[in-house]
Every structure is written in structure tokens, then in C-alpha cells.
Amino acid sequence: MAKKNRPAESAAAASAEAASPAHTGAANGHDHNTTITSVSTEHRKFAPPESFAETARISSLKEYRRLHRLADEDPEKFWGKIAGELHWFKPWKKLLSWKAPFARWFVGAKTNMSYNCLDRHLDGWRRTKAAIIWEGEPGEVRTLTYAQLHHEVCKFSNVLRSLGVTKEDTVAIYMGMVPEAAIAMLACTRIGAAHNVIFGGFSAEALRERINDSRAKVLVTQDAAFRRGTEVALKDAADRALTGTPTIEHCIVYRRSGSQIAMQAGRDHWWHEMMAGISAKSKAEQLDSEHPLYVLYTSGSTGKPKGIFHTLGGNLVWSYYTTRMVFDMRDEDTYWCTADIGWVTGHAYVVYGPLLNGATSLMYEGAPNWPEADRFWDMVERHGVTIFYTAPTAIRAFMRWGEGFPRRHDLSSLRLLGTVGEPINPEAWMWYRSTIGGDRCPIVDTWWQTETGGIMIAPLPGATPTKPGSATLPLPGIDVDVVRKDGTSCAPNEGGYLVIKSPWPSMLRTIHGDDQRFKETYWSHYKGWYFTGDGARRDEDGYLWIMGRVDDVVNVAGHRLGTAEIESSLVAHKMVAEAAVVARPDEMKGNALVAFVSLAANATASPALKEELREHVAREIGAIAKPEEIRFSDALPKTRSGKIMRRLLREIASTGQVSGDVTTLEDFSSLEKLRAGEEE
Ligand code: WTA
């Protein structure tokens, strides 16, 4: 089982990193020439089912190639056609202004996200169509039609206005998966305030840091969220965060669980009280195409999270287009993306993409195994879900829980499956295809990032033959390559670095407040090209196989974590002198975190201290960042110039060659002497 379920490509990346300096080389600008080697030997190929292709928007590779060519040769026509399907208060004067690395799209145009998501559908029959169907973890179901959602969004936008929020401001949203989270996001876009959604699993510390960096004026939260039968006390965490957030003037609290919480007079307001009696008339602001849409924090290779800054027009167009093409979205579909709204997938593919297409988006509050491990399949059956989009980690969990759970349910409503967030191993892909998709549904493995704003590489389900584990081909309009250190293109099947060579509408515009870091992180490796931080190879058919991160970012269970961020949290603990966090392959989560810690002089190693340090990270950042394992060490192995030899630690963490009693200190001195020469 362990071997069988190991994610083939991320294992390849890990072993490639262990065998070559690619891992730190790319991120830290070392000049090594070793390439990444891939060990995948996957050769299966599945043509789109004929019945799917017959009705699909794009039904042949020929048509896909035609669109690709059109985007290259006549971008005005290509983008004009797509953008023209949406509402613009004022047309653009110029499609693109590109002064690398700064892009402006649909220059001079005026539009509004909430108008396009909602008002545009109100004239016709979609007015009474379900926009969001929500299911709470305890089991209640709420449906919001387009008219109802519009009503709520208009009212909440007036609540924000009444608290003085304008289009110059940022609103932080720290909520669970409730429709009000989507309502708050859409209300921000209606008045032109940028939203900064902070995942509900983040700690008070992480919340405070993100609020402060984005200079948010208002926080929207809820009393508590339901998760696996218990309550996650969001307002309590918010209260702790708000002790050190000078920019926050007001906090709006949605009542979800009814649990006891503290309300601070003057600062805190109940959602329902603010909404009572407020006008539902709210003009959608006519906003510049380059007006801020959102800031979303993601981990990078330093301790400080990056505020990825996105703007309106480009995201409007790309969320709309990719949802339409990659999910072949139809009015009859009931579409379910299981991502949390706190991640970029929740932004583009729970809220914006589906609503821009007038689709029905299912939203679920809780855990996939509550009350039992068939919750998702039970929901697919009850709601008649037709398109299902989830993460490989979840699929591997379903595999482990066993086929019995999906077999209890009729899954015949499904017509298309998707994955996102990390490489999917071919075994999980095949299981997904047969056990969930009944060998009838195409699978779209979608590669993209917080920075890209939307899907970049993915099959078009009626056109692109799929291969288990490959995200296949770039979408029309997207210009990717796999290159060597020197920028030359890799040969087929030669591993290299994934870059994007031309601007695209939903690309990040900068890192909030830090143009310099934006340039260094993404644009300094290859002049004029965007560096993704991922390793990849392209096979003889031009298919892309993503091999995982090549920088100090680790993908754990589909969540992006910066090892530097976890290290600085560990070092902040008084018992810790030094820490290095690395990843080892994990059959379930893709990667697991291992922290090597050298203790302060007065500290004594013990299992209790290990647990305390894990809890410390959970408190500082959030439970998702807890290291799986803590290993104590006298000293961390370093190069003569003082750089921690992470590759060596990764080897130790992955192969388990250095083991021993849980409380025994590991002595790296001999390894250090052996390796010091090569590392410099
Ligand atoms: C990884 C999530 C392989 C990749 C949308 C990327 C993937 C990082 C895939 C971005 C995929 C995402 N196959 N790897 N289909 N999708 N990744 O910002 O390493 O949370 O750089 O965005 O996830 O993670 P983020």
C-alpha cells in the first residue's frame, strides 16, 4: 500500500531534489547545472468519451489548436470574443499594456464583478435558478437563487458602506464555509473594496499578520464554524487577533453556531442586526479594469507570507472563461468544488467562475468524513451533482477509507471530475476514474497557482485525451515552457523549470506593498518570464507533468506552506535555538513536514517538548502547518558558509536512514564533514 499509493510525480520530484541541487538552486540563485530527472513511467491514455465530446464546447484537439493559434496570432480577436460575453460599463481602449513584469489588461475599461456574477442573470429565467446550494455539516440545506443572492449582496454592500468602507479599502474575511462568506466577498466587489479572505483554519497570529499587512479596515467573521462535529471558535481567534490590528475599525459577526462569544461595544456588530432594515438597493460601482479585486496571502520562501494582489478585469474574464472551458459548464449542471473559500480555488471556482457562468454552485460546510466517510457521495447523490472538483489528497483519503463508501450511493449523475492543488499519482487518478467516475467521466487535472488567478494547464474535457497524472496542455492564450537553468527549452522528457512566457489576464499584479519582492520572486530567474517555482517535464506529445515545488515551499495535503515561515515560528519558541523544516514524501498528503530542531542550552529533549513545539506551530500559524515529526539535533548540518544543508536533511527525513530512540539527539557532525565540500 505504501508504495502503491505514493504520489509518483511528487516522489519523483523529491528524489530528483535529493539527487540534484535543483531544490535550493532555483530559489536561491545557486548556479548548478544539474537537471531534474523524472522517474515516471506512465503510458496509459484515455480519449474523451464520444458522448461527452459530441456536446462539448470544444470537441477536438484540432479546435483546441485553432484557438491556441488564434490567441497567439490575433489576441485582440481572441480576448475580445471572450471578454465581449461579459458586461462592461465602458469598453477597453487597449487590450494589454505590458512593461514586464507589470501588466494592465483591458486598459481603460470599466466593469464590476458582482454585477457580472449577479445582475447580468436577473433579466431572464435564471433569476429563480439556484446560484448557491449550501449544506451545513449538521445537515441543513439552504438554497439562494440568483435573485436572493443579489438581494443579500446588495444589502451587505450597504452595510459595508454604512461602516465607511469605500473602494479604497480592504475588508478581511475570516469565516467558515457559509453562504455569507460568498455574500461578503461579492459585496466587497460591488462597492470596489478589495477582499482579503483568511482561511478559517489559520490561527489568531496568522490572522493578525494578514490583516495588518493588507491594512484591512473591517473584519467579517462568525461566532464559530462546524467542523467534524465540533465548533471552531472563529470569533475567539478574531478577538485575539484584533488586540493588535490598528487599521481595523469594525468587526461584523455572523451568527452560525449560536455559541457564547464576547462582543466589544462600538467595534463589533451582529450581521443580522446590521442587515435588518437596510436598503437592498445598491448600485454596482463602475470600476476600472485594473481596480483591486483581492489580496490573498500565500506562503513563500521567506518567513513572511506574500499578499498576492489581483485586479478586476483580468480575473473576471479568466474565471469566466476557464470555468466555461475546463468544466464545460452548462445551465443544467450542479457543480461542486470542495475547496474552502480561504484558498484561491474557493475564490475562482466556488464563487466567481460558476456565478459568472450562471451556474449552480454547491457549497459544503464540513468534513468529508462526517458523520461517516460517505458524506461526499451521499451529497453527490442527494443533490445530483454533475461536476465534482476536489484535491488529490482527498482522493487518496477516499481510497484508504475504501470503495464501500462510494458504492453505497448512486453516483450516475456525475459527468465530469476535476482535481487541483498538487500532483495526482496515477493510482489515485485511476481509482477516481473508475470508482467515482464509473469509467465514464473525463478527469480534468488542473494546474495553477494563487498567483495565476485561474487554471493555466488542464485538459479540455471534450477534446484532450488524458493521461493519468498529467495536467496535459496549456489553455489557449497561455504560453508555458519547461526550461533549463540557462533558459533553453528542455528536450522531451527532460525535467526542468516551469515558466510562463507571456502575460495572461488574471496574473498577479504584484505582491501587496512589495514590488521588489514581486520582481525577485517571480521575474529574476528568467528575464521577462514568470517563474512558477514548479519543476515539470514535457513528454513527446507535449503533455506537461508537474513534478512539484523546487523552492522552499512545500505542498502538504494540497496546502501551500513556506518552510521558512514554520522555521521562524519554531525559533520564536524559547526552548529552540535553531530549526530547519523539510518535506518527506507521504502516501496520503503528498508531503509531510519534518522539523529538525536544535535546542537552547537550558532545554532538555523530551517527547513532551516535541508535542509542545507542534502545538506551538499550530498556535502560531494553524494546525495545517504542524510538523508531522520533530527531530532534535545537537546542531544542524551546515555548509562552511553557514547555510543549512537542506538536501541532506531531506534525505534523512525521506529515507529514514538516521533513526533511533525518539528522544535521542542526532549527531550530524560526521555527515557534515562528509558533505561540506560538495555543498559549497
Ligand atoms: C501545486 C492552488 C500538480 C503546484 C490552485 C503549484 C499542482 C501550487 C497542481 C500552487 C496540479 C497545483 N498538479 N501540482 N494539478 N495544481 N499544484 O497557490 O506546486 O495553493 O505551484 O494554488 O500547487 O498552490 P496554490
Side-chain angles (χ1 to χ4, degrees):
M1 188 74 178
K3 211 162 179 196
K4 201 164 153 251
N5 284 343
R6 172 178 289 185
E9 287 289 337
S10 60
S15 63
E17 286 161 10
S20 82
H23 186 98
T24 48
N28 302 337
H30 285 204
D31 192 21
H32 295 290
N33 276 317
T34 326
T35 50
I36 303 172
T37 40
S38 166
V39 297
S40 170
T41 52
E42 177 58 54
H43 293 297
R44 284 168 289 200
K45 196 167 177 175
F46 297 91
E50 253 171 53
S51 56
F52 196 102
E54 262 169 27
T55 57
R57 290 210 166 79
I58 308 291
S59 57
S60 69
L61 272 181
K62 201 170 144 220
E63 175 63 3
Y64 158 79
R65 293 208 180 90
R66 189 190 68 77
L67 280 174
H68 224 296
R69 259 195 322 275
L70 179 66
D72 285 349
E73 290 162 9
D74 193 350
E76 302 277 344
K77 186 166 171 198
F78 176 77
W79 295 110
K81 157 102 182 49
I82 300 166
E85 293 169 18
L86 294 157
H87 182 84
W88 304 81
F89 297 108
K90 202 171 143 205
W92 53 93
K93 290 201 187 83
K94 198 171 160 199
L95 179 68
L96 166 69
S97 137
W98 177 227
K99 292 195 184 86
F102 298 103
R104 289 189 301 143
W105 280 85
F106 311 105
V107 183
K110 297 241 188 264
T111 186
N112 183 288
M113 181 63 98
S114 115
Y115 187 93
N116 273 287
C117 285
L118 304 170
D119 306 51
R120 208 161 51 86
H121 307 303
L122 296 185
D123 287 342
W125 69 274
R126 279 193 192 133
R127 187 178 175 77
T128 50
K129 176 181 175 173
I132 293 178
I133 300 177
W134 173 82
E135 183 162 313
E137 196 184 68
E140 65 273 56
V141 173
R142 268 169 73 193
T143 299
L144 288 157
T145 63
Y146 274 91
Q148 289 167 330
L149 184 60
H150 175 258
H151 184 81
E152 297 295 310
V153 167
C154 286
K155 285 178 73 170
F156 197 68
S157 68
N158 286 334
V159 168
L160 292 175
R161 283 186 177 119
S162 76
L163 295 177
V165 178
T166 72
K167 64 178 183 184
E168 310 302 326
D169 294 321
T170 299
V171 172
I173 300 174
Y174 181 60
M175 299 182 88
M177 288 293 279
V178 287
E180 282 65 22
I183 292 168
M185 289 165 75
L186 287 159
C188 287
T189 70
R190 193 159 193 92
I191 64 178
H195 56 70
N196 168 17
V197 183
I198 298 118
F199 173 55
F202 275 124
S203 67
E205 285 295 322
L207 173 61
R208 182 190 299 145
E209 183 175 15
R210 285 157 177 77
I211 286 175
N212 286 340
D213 192 80
S214 71
R215 308 188 58 76
K217 186 169 184 175
V218 167
L219 172 67
V220 186
T221 187
Q222 62 191 67
D223 48 2
F226 289 116
R227 183 86 190 172
R228 208 164 279 123
T230 61
E231 287 182 22
V232 184
L234 293 174
K235 177 62 166 57
D236 277 359
D239 283 339
R240 275 177 278 128
L242 295 186
T243 56
T245 51
T247 57
I248 291 284
E249 294 174 12
H250 297 280
C251 174
I252 305 173
V253 187
Y254 171 67
R255 181 178 276 158
R256 165 66 185 132
S257 69
S259 50
Q260 278 292 321
I261 53 162
M263 293 290 279
Q264 185 178 307
R267 184 194 72 186
D268 297 350
H269 316 270
W270 283 110
W271 174 293
H272 57 270
E273 287 176 6
M274 297 294 286
M275 291 285 266
I278 203 148
S279 162
K281 277 212 166 53
S282 167
K283 208 167 143 276
E285 296 284 334
Q286 305 196 2
L287 301 164
D288 194 87
S289 172
E290 283 301 324
H291 191 78
L293 181 66
Y294 65 84
V295 184
L296 181 61
Y297 284 80
T298 188
S299 300
S301 46
T302 73
K304 193 173 178 302
K306 300 178 285 199
I308 304 301
F309 177 72
H310 280 287
T311 57
L312 170 60
N315 272 276
L316 173 79
V317 170
W318 199 242
S319 299
Y320 168 74
Y321 181 67
T322 51
T323 303
R324 205 167 181 74
M325 291 315 204
V326 178
F327 299 113
D328 192 52
M329 191 70 79
R330 305 294 167 148
D331 264 320
E332 305 76 45
D333 281 313
T334 299
Y335 158 91
W336 184 15
C337 167
T338 68
D340 193 280
I341 229 159
W343 308 113
V344 73
T345 309
H347 286 49
Y349 300 109
V350 175
V351 183
Y352 297 130
L355 297 180
L356 287 169
N357 281 280
T360 296
S361 181
L362 179 65
M363 213 175 152
Y364 169 57
E365 178 179 44
N369 54 351
W370 187 266
E372 276 201 85
D374 66 339
R375 179 63 180 263
F376 276 14
W377 318 126
D378 182 40
M379 286 181 60
V380 166
E381 180 176 13
R382 276 189 290 109
H383 294 284
V385 172
T386 57
I387 304 174
F388 181 73
Y389 189 32
T390 197
T393 291
I395 298 168
R396 289 191 291 269
F398 301 142
M399 284 173 80
R400 194 176 62 177
W401 295 335
E403 293 198 350
F405 291 106
R407 294 249 183 275
R408 284 185 194 171
H409 298 280
D410 177 2
L411 304 181
S412 61
S413 58
L414 290 169
R415 69 180 194 95
L416 177 64
L417 303 174
T419 74
V420 59
E422 52 184 322
I424 182 164
N425 49 314
E427 289 73 16
W429 196 98
M430 291 301 298
W431 185 90
Y432 196 30
R433 180 183 148 85
S434 63
T435 309
I436 305 304
D439 292 317
R440 130 196 117 250
C441 305
I443 296 180
V444 289
D445 173 354
T446 63
W447 178 90
W448 59 294
Q449 308 178 301
T450 305
E451 291 87 342
T452 69
I455 297 170
M456 303 292 277
I457 305 172
L460 297 177
T464 318
T466 50
K467 301 183 187 187
S470 170
T472 76
L473 303 168
L475 296 183
I478 302 302
D479 182 12
V480 306
D481 200 359
V482 178
V483 300
R484 304 185 180 108
K485 270 267 149 65
D486 64 6
T488 52
S489 294
C490 289
N493 291 315
E494 179 188 342
Y497 302 98
L498 186 68
V499 295
I500 306 170
K501 290 182 157 177
S502 315
W504 66 100
S506 62
M507 67 196 283
L508 79 165
R509 296 300 192 259
T510 189
I511 291 174
H512 181 68
D514 201 345
D515 283 351
Q516 195 51 36
R517 188 173 180 199
F518 168 64
K519 288 183 197 160
E520 275 162 20
T521 309
Y522 305 107
W523 304 93
S524 66
H525 303 82
Y526 302 102
K527 201 168 173 350
W529 299 345
Y530 170 84
F531 176 60
T532 62
D534 278 352
R537 79 182 156 89
R538 194 146 42 180
D539 70 14
E540 55 288 347
D541 296 333
Y543 276 44
L544 290 148
W545 299 74
I546 309 298
M547 293 159 62
R549 302 289 309 192
V550 295
D551 53 10
D552 291 328
V553 174
V554 177
N555 207 314
V556 178
H559 296 148
R560 248 173 94 164
L561 300 166
T563 51
E565 201 178 337
I566 303 166
E567 286 163 6
S568 62
S569 133
L570 282 167
V571 173
H573 191 281
K574 61 181 185 306
M575 299 291 186
V576 174
E578 220 175 7
V581 174
V582 298
R584 67 164 153 73
D586 180 272
E587 69 172 64
M588 187 63 90
K589 300 176 179 171
N591 290 292
L593 296 172
V594 180
F596 291 84
V597 170
S598 72
L599 292 174
N602 59 347
T604 320
S606 71
L609 181 56
K610 286 189 181 180
E611 207 35 48
E612 158 61 22
L613 292 178
R614 294 180 70 239
E615 286 308 319
H616 168 78
V617 174
R619 270 195 311 273
E620 290 264 316
I621 304 175
I624 48 166
K626 250 193 207 178
E628 187 82 10
E629 209 182 309
I630 304 242
R631 292 183 175 214
F632 292 129
S633 159
D634 267 347
L636 299 177
K638 292 202 187 124
T639 63
R640 268 177 265 138
S641 57
K643 205 171 132 30
I644 294 173
M645 294 161 68
R646 290 164 184 287
R647 281 200 298 114
L648 180 55
L649 294 178
R650 263 197 298 278
E651 252 173 55
I652 293 165
S654 311
T655 62
Q657 268 173 9
V658 181
S659 60
D661 186 293
V662 276
T663 56
T664 309
L665 298 178
E666 286 163 353
D667 178 7
F668 288 108
S669 58
S670 55
L671 289 168
E672 189 180 356
K673 274 183 209 126
L674 271 175
R675 296 294 191 108
E678 312 169 13
E679 277 286 324
E680 285 272 297

